[in-house]
């Protein structure tokens, strides 16, 4: 059972997400709260996945994200917003958010996206993916990205390629004939060596360094 915490200051959004997810197999919304209650509630209910509004009147979503990331065995966090070009997206991804969803995401897709997050995957709304990637790649230096990847072992590079292709931990484990625990260890080492907050940043570094292009060739 995937335990989900929904954090949004709009009661209608909280209720809607909770009803959709509670109706899905293998998912339970353990709490749905406004931003001011987010950190305390997360400590109490220990969710696997948090869907967190990026803009809230009583507390900054990025502040809540940072606090959640500091918790022991932190939950996977995906940011919610109504804006397809939110200026906070890059900051959230750099802080370790595993995804970015618009609040008008197709209800039929929401359970799948939550399962993807719980399995170690990343999710980005198709409306913002291109803007996020372009902005990151424009700011990064290909030489610097390549230098960062030099810190990885060959096996870690192989794992990074699959991360960049959007595979979850379970998918990577199946592809490479490894246990899921071993894949998680590799992912943790990759994020540490690349000095990034999450899988999305690692994937963008791989793209900037041309690693995916080299693998295809």
């Amino acid at each position: 059972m995937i335990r989900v915490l929904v954090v949004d200051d709009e009661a209608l959004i909280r209720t809607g997400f909770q009803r959709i997810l509670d109706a899905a197999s293998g998912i339970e919304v353990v709490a749905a709260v406004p931003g001011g209650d987010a950190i305390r509630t997360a400590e109490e209910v220990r969710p696997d996945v948090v869907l967190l509004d990026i803009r809230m009147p009583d507390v900054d979503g990025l502040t809540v994200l940072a606090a959640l990331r500091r918790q022991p065995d932190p939950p996977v966090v995906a940011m919610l917003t109504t804006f397809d070009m939110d200026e906070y997206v890059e900051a959230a991804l750099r802080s370790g958010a595993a995804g970015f969803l618009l609040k008008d995401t197709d209800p039929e897709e929401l359970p799948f996206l939550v399962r993807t997050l719980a399995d170690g995957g990343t999710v980005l709304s198709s409306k913002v993916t291109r803007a996020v990637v372009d902005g990151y790649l424009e700011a990064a230096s290909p030489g610097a990205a390549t230098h960062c990847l030099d810190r990885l072992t060959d096996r870690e590079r192989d794992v990074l390629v699959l991360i960049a292709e959007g595979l979850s931990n379970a998918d990577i484990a199946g592809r490479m004939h490894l246990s899921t625990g071993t894949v998680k260890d590799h992912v943790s080492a990759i994020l540490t060596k690349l000095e990034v907050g999450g899988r999305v940043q690692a994937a963008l570094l791989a793209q900037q360094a041309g690693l995916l292009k080299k693998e295809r060739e």
Side-chain angles (χ1 to χ4, degrees), residues 39-55:
I39 298 172
R40 175 184 55 79
T41 302
E43 292 173 345
E44 292 175 352
V45 302
R46 306 301 300 169
D48 303 304
V49 175
V50 177
L51 303 181
L52 172 63
D53 189 5
I54 201 168
R55 291 172 178 262

Side-chain angles (χ1 to χ4, degrees), residues 84-86 89-90 93 124-138 204:
D84 60 359
M85 290 295 289
D86 198 302
V89 173
E90 185 174 349
L93 294 177
L124 284 174
S125 166
S126 60
K127 294 182 181 180
V128 298
T129 299
R130 188 69 260 164
V132 172
V133 171
D134 287 346
Y136 190 93
L137 296 184
E138 287 174 3
L204 293 176

Side-chain angles (χ1 to χ4, degrees), residues 9 50 55 80 84 91 115 117 126 180 186-187 191-192 196:
D9 275 355
V50 177
R55 291 172 178 262
L80 301 173
D84 60 359
R115 294 187 185 103
L117 290 164
S126 60
T180 302
H186 283 314
V187 172
L191 300 184
T192 298
V196 294

Side-chain angles (χ1 to χ4, degrees), residues 126-157:
S126 60
K127 294 182 181 180
V128 298
T129 299
R130 188 69 260 164
V132 172
V133 171
D134 287 346
Y136 190 93
L137 296 184
E138 287 174 3
S141 161
T146 301
H147 177 70
C148 287
L149 297 189
D150 288 341
R151 305 169 186 168
L152 305 181
T153 65
D154 290 342
R155 177 56 62 87
E156 289 166 352
R157 280 172 170 260

